[in-house]
Structures are given as structure tokens and as C-alpha cells.
Amino acid sequence: MEELLLRALSASLLLAVLTGPLGCFVVWHRMAYFGDTIAHSALLGIGISLMLHVQLGTGVLLCAVVIAIVLAWLFNRYGYSLDSLLGIFAHVALAAGVVLLSFVEDNHIDWLAYLFGDLLSISWTDVQSMAVISGALLLLTFLGWRRFVLLSVNAELAEVDGLNTSLYRGLLMVLIAATIALAIKLVGVLLVTALLIIPAATARNLSRSPRQMAILAMLFGSLASLGGLTASYTIDVSTGPAIVLTAFVVFVLSLPLRS
Amino acid sequence: MFEYSRFYPGLEWYHSRMNEPLVTLANIAVRLGQRSVLQDVSLTINEDEIVTLIGPNGAGKTTLVRVVLGLQNIHKGQIKRRAKLRIGYMPQRFQINEHMPMRVVDFLRLDGSSRDEATNALEESGIRTLENAQVSRVSGGELQRVLFARALLRDPELLVLDEPVQGVDLAGQAGLYQLIDQARKRHQCGVLMVSHDLNIVMANTDNVVCLNHHICCHGHPDHVSTDPAFLELFGHRFADTLAVYHHQHDHEHDLHGDIIEKSHE
């Protein structure tokens, strides 16, 4: 029992470190809807993985990255006003995923767990691959940090400064998509955007620089994971929703501290 | 025959670079969707020259600025920029994302500048005290100065200022123009400026370009303003360098800004 908790805890702390800074970009770029689209299409990723007999985590990750690249191309070509297109994309991908899944007869896969996350079923192998992938994503985010922030402040200024804005916007979208694909394991398709946005919004209220906001978001994400897991263990509620609710409580508590 | 370039290699290159215009636009046309925004615009910006764009709302001034900056795809024509031209750009209506905490000094350092470079630029713009203020909290006039400081960071060869005094009160406007003039002398850079306000076009402008989808007319502003209110605001020292540009309109426009051909009688 304790080892199960330890696995869940290490996985969720790993993810909190990653969702902190990337959640900030979701907030700065107002990309919540993009996050939802990537999350919804995870079900399509699961369907495709089951049909092709690929490992689920890998399939979801690849599917998210491919969709992010397609959307980045659309964004760069047509600008950010793609709300309705995202809406179409999200739900078509979700519907296609569910239809695909109904063709696959596999009683070993509980794909409903993907809707709300299933942190407690995680294995040490999962934690290891999660550590490698999130380490790589975090490194990329760190290396491109200044340029990503510049892009978030004002794309036009960034372009005059000589930044390849299409490339960096695309890269950022791929990083966020990959993060979402990883985080789905934790809190599920329906709640994953909250895990990115709530800690970042909490950090916004208390920080004076982008870096401070990213670090605080990591901290609040970890706090939410700790609290959520504890609640899940002691009063037996599902972990994903417990983590999101804890993140929300932290957010509310931070409101009076706004500078 | 004595060829000094043989004794001073690089001198010839130096001279050719110095004489080369910063930016040359030839017969530019820009369409946004179905709408033709710029037609047949040719423009040269030389080193150490102030070019001011004037014209009514929606005349395509900002679009032309974006063409010069390389932000706008053109439909027709040619753009030639000096190789590795360093541009300092001050955008119109800049607003920082409300969700982005950002100190003024960090905002300046986003282009990779050092802390010293950033504080020097703030000093030059007279806002050293704002170093640690949040960009989202400074006033309109202060924000313009922050943007101006940022434009100066890279020791620009060309300053591009899109309505630099927008949202600044009259006293602040004079200060800002004085700052622009000082910076131009210190950095010996060319300036491309958009102005909405005919009254202000003037300080030291070398070339006024009147734009209404095409270039209506351009030239040196030749008259010193004698408007008493103007003198009072900017002072006599300034007035010496001021002139009112006489706009001699030799043609008429329809609602789209196209030239109406006059029928021969």
C-alpha cells in the first residue's frame, strides 16, 4: 500500500514540476481551449494505439504531438482566432476515438479510467518513462525560456527582434501537448487543463516576474498533488478530482494575498 | 592613377555601406483580403534622416511600417534593407498581457540584453526609477518611454516609431520628442515615424510623406510654424527647428483613397 502511494506521489510531483512552467504559457497565450482539444483527442490516441497494438502511453503521446503540429501549422497560417475550428477538432477527435474503441474488443483496457485519470494504477516503469520524458520537455522549456516568454509578451516585437515566431510557437504547442499527454495519466482527459491552469493562475497573483510565476506554479502544483493524494488515501475519493479540488482550494486561499 | 582603396582595404566597402540607404521600397503594393491597402509606394530612408508618415486614419501608415519591418507580406514591389540592419521598433498600442507579471527591467532584457545595457537604456529614456515597476502598472506616458528605451537597446541604425506620443499628454509629448531627437543624434540613426497629428510632424523632419493608400506627396517641410500655442508648448528653442508642411494637393480622392482622374475640359 505504501509503495503504491510512493509511486503515485513521485509521478504526480514529476508532473507538477513540468505543468508549472508550461501551464504559465497556457495562461499567457490563452490556450486553454487548445489544451482541451489535445486532451479530448487523447481518446483517439487510445483507439489508434489499441488497433495498432502500440503501448497506450506512447500512442497518446504521439497522437497529441501530431495534432499539436497540425494545429500549429493552422495557427501560423490563419492566426489565433481558431476557436470554432478547435471546437470541431476536439469533439470530432473524441467521437472518433470512442467509435474506434467500440470496434476493439479488449476487456483488459479500462479506457474510462482515462477520462478521470488513474494515478494509483501506475507502475515503476511508468514513473521511469515519465521521468525521462518530462525531464526532456523541461530541459527544452528551460533552454528556450527567454524566447518563449518574449513570444508570449508580444509576437510582433519578437519577430522584429529576429525570432522565428512560427517555429517557437509550434515548439511551444508541441511541448504543451506532450505535457498534457503525460498528465492525462494523472487526472484524466476531462480535468487535465485544470491541472495546467489553476496552479499558474494561483502563481500569477503572487509573482513579479515570469520566472517567479513558473516556480510558484510548480510549487502549487506539487501542493495540489500532495493534498489530493492524501485526501484520496484517507477518505477514499478518486485522485484526479481530489487533486484538482485541492489546487482550487489553494487558488482561493491565495486570492487575499494578491499584490 | 592613385587608387586609395588599395592602401586602405575596406574603405571602399565602408563608403559604399555608408551611402547605401537603410531601406529602399520600390513600387510596393499590399492587399489585405480583397482590400488594396497600399498601391505603388516607393520610399527611401537614408542614414541620419527623419522620415515622417502622415495621413488620415486607415490610410495604410501602420501597414507601411510593417512592410519596412518585414512583418507584412507584400503583393508587388521590392524591399531592400541594408545587410544586418539593426532596427529599434516602438509599436503602436502596446499592451502587456494582464496575466504576465513583468518588471520593466526584465521586459527590456527579453531580447537577451545584459542588465547594464537595460539600465543604460532606461537612463537614456529618463525612467531609471521605473526599473523595478511592473509593466502592467506604469502609466501610458511611462509605457511609451519604456518602449522607447527598448527600441534603443540594440544601438539601432533605424528607429521605427509608430505614433510614439499616442496617449501622452502635451507636456509629455514634447519631452518624448526631445528624447527622440537626442537619441537620433547619439546613435546617428535614421528614423521612420508615424504621426497622426499635423501639428507635431515637424520637429527636425527631413522628409514628410503624406500617405493615403498611395503616396500623395512628400518632401522637406519648408515653413517654420508661427502658431503661438505651438511656440508656447514647445518653446522657442524648439520652434527654430519646426516647420509646417504645406500640403499641396494636386489631385482628389474617392472614398477608397484612389486618385480621381480629372476630366480634361
Side-chain angles (χ1 to χ4, degrees), chain A residues 28 146 156 161 208 210, chain B residues 66 97 99 110 132 134 150:
Chain A
W28 293 333
R146 184 178 60 76
E156 221 162 64
D161 281 358
R208 293 179 55 78
Chain B
R66 287 169 54 86
N97 188 332
H99 301 295
L110 279 177
N132 290 316
Q134 287 287 308
R150 190 178 193 278

Side-chain angles (χ1 to χ4, degrees), chain A residues 146-147 150 161, chain B residues 105-115 117-118 150 153-154:
Chain A
R146 184 178 60 76
R147 293 182 174 85
L150 175 59
D161 281 358
Chain B
V105 65
D106 293 333
F107 174 67
L108 261 66
R109 292 190 59 193
L110 279 177
D111 73 340
S113 303
S114 71
R115 201 184 169 89
E117 288 170 320
R150 190 178 193 278
L153 265 181
R154 309 185 134 196

Side-chain angles (χ1 to χ4, degrees), chain B residues 48-194:
Chain B
D48 218 8
E49 181 186 52
I50 296 189
V51 177
T52 306
L53 281 177
I54 60 173
N57 267 328
K61 301 188 295 294
T62 295
T63 305
L64 184 53
V65 164
R66 287 169 54 86
V67 168
V68 170
L69 292 170
L71 294 174
Q72 176 70 53
N73 289 330
I74 56 171
H75 209 66
K76 255 190 258 168
Q78 282 169 330
I79 311 170
K80 200 170 158 232
R81 288 185 203 86
R82 194 188 265 188
K84 291 184 180 163
L85 181 68
R86 294 189 306 274
I87 298 181
Y89 170 48
M90 188 171 163
Q92 185 188 9
R93 286 195 201 95
F94 174 85
Q95 249 192 330
I96 188 119
N97 188 332
E98 60 187 302
H99 301 295
M100 173 78 81
M102 179 74 77
R103 285 176 305 190
V104 166
V105 65
D106 293 333
F107 174 67
L108 261 66
R109 292 190 59 193
L110 279 177
D111 73 340
S113 303
S114 71
R115 201 184 169 89
D116 279 350
E117 288 170 320
T119 45
N120 283 343
L122 288 172
E123 186 85 60
E124 200 177 335
S125 305
I127 45 167
R128 178 68 200 268
T129 47
L130 291 180
E131 199 177 337
N132 290 316
Q134 287 287 308
V135 178
S136 53
R137 296 280 172 85
V138 300
S139 74
E142 287 168 343
L143 183 62
Q144 293 303 97
R145 282 180 179 238
V146 171
L147 292 170
F148 186 68
R150 190 178 193 278
L152 292 179
L153 265 181
R154 309 185 134 196
D155 185 25
E157 294 168 289
L158 174 63
L159 267 179
V160 178
L161 312 169
D162 196 350
E163 300 197 28
V165 299
Q166 196 184 41
V168 181
D169 62 40
L170 282 176
Q173 287 184 6
L176 206 50
Y177 275 113
Q178 203 167 358
L179 216 56
I180 292 168
D181 199 44
Q182 283 164 3
R184 184 183 69 99
K185 284 177 184 138
R186 189 173 307 124
H187 296 271
Q188 304 206 310
C189 52
V191 177
L192 173 66
M193 184 161 67
V194 174

